[in-house]
Amino acid sequence: RNFTFCDSLEELYIVLTNKLGSRGLAAANSILTRCNKLSSLRWAVKEAPPDAVLPWFGLAEMAAKQSGGSRVGSHLIHLVMDGGSISVDELGERGLCGALPYCTRLRSLKLRSIGIKDEGIDLMVSAFLQSKPSLEVLDLSSNLIQTSGALTISKLSTLNSIAMNLST
């Protein structure tokens, strides 16, 4: 309720040092949903347990709301989620993969140490193939990606919007 400036917020950087409870997560999701101009989000979980939750549902609702259903998509250009964990539900339609189709302007995506597995990579790549962002940076370091997930990531090279910008 106290985040009345969400309408004009363009960058948000949050570093958590404790595990976020259900009330805190609901508040974070609510805040993100109201960020109509957010172009850069960094959510870092430092010194919190590895099962710390992240506001995936708020991210998906924000991206859909910002895009207004248009092909232009949301304002989000930079997204960093660092530490914590992601479940299959949070990867799905109401989570990260629900946001990605609206993120056509996304230039950098850093999803580090959040426990993404090969199944999650399959969902993410499908969402990217739909949104076709012009990614310049994709950082999936310190996740649980095996050979199958790495092969799925290689499918991104078939998208000209990614292949011509992404460097290894």
Side-chain angles (χ1 to χ4, degrees), residues 86-88 90-92 96-97 100 109-112 114-129 138-156:
I86 189 165
S87 69
V88 173
E90 293 167 326
L91 269 165
L96 176 62
C97 293
L100 290 177
L109 177 63
K110 298 178 181 181
L111 303 172
R112 301 180 291 223
I114 61 173
I116 295 177
K117 298 178 182 172
D118 290 348
E119 305 81 40
I121 293 298
D122 292 343
L123 294 170
M124 284 178 52
V125 168
S126 293
F128 278 133
L129 293 173
L138 177 61
D139 183 350
L140 300 170
S141 59
S142 301
N143 281 293
L144 305 171
I145 302 167
Q146 302 295 315
T147 304
S148 172
L151 288 171
T152 302
I153 292 169
S154 71
K155 292 179 184 176
L156 293 178

Side-chain angles (χ1 to χ4, degrees), residues 29-51:
N29 282 322
S30 175
I31 289 167
L32 282 179
T33 300
R34 295 180 308 189
C35 291
N36 297 323
K37 296 181 180 177
L38 197 65
S39 63
S40 180
L41 172 62
R42 178 167 180 176
W43 189 280
V45 179
K46 301 294 180 193
E47 300 172 22
D51 63 342

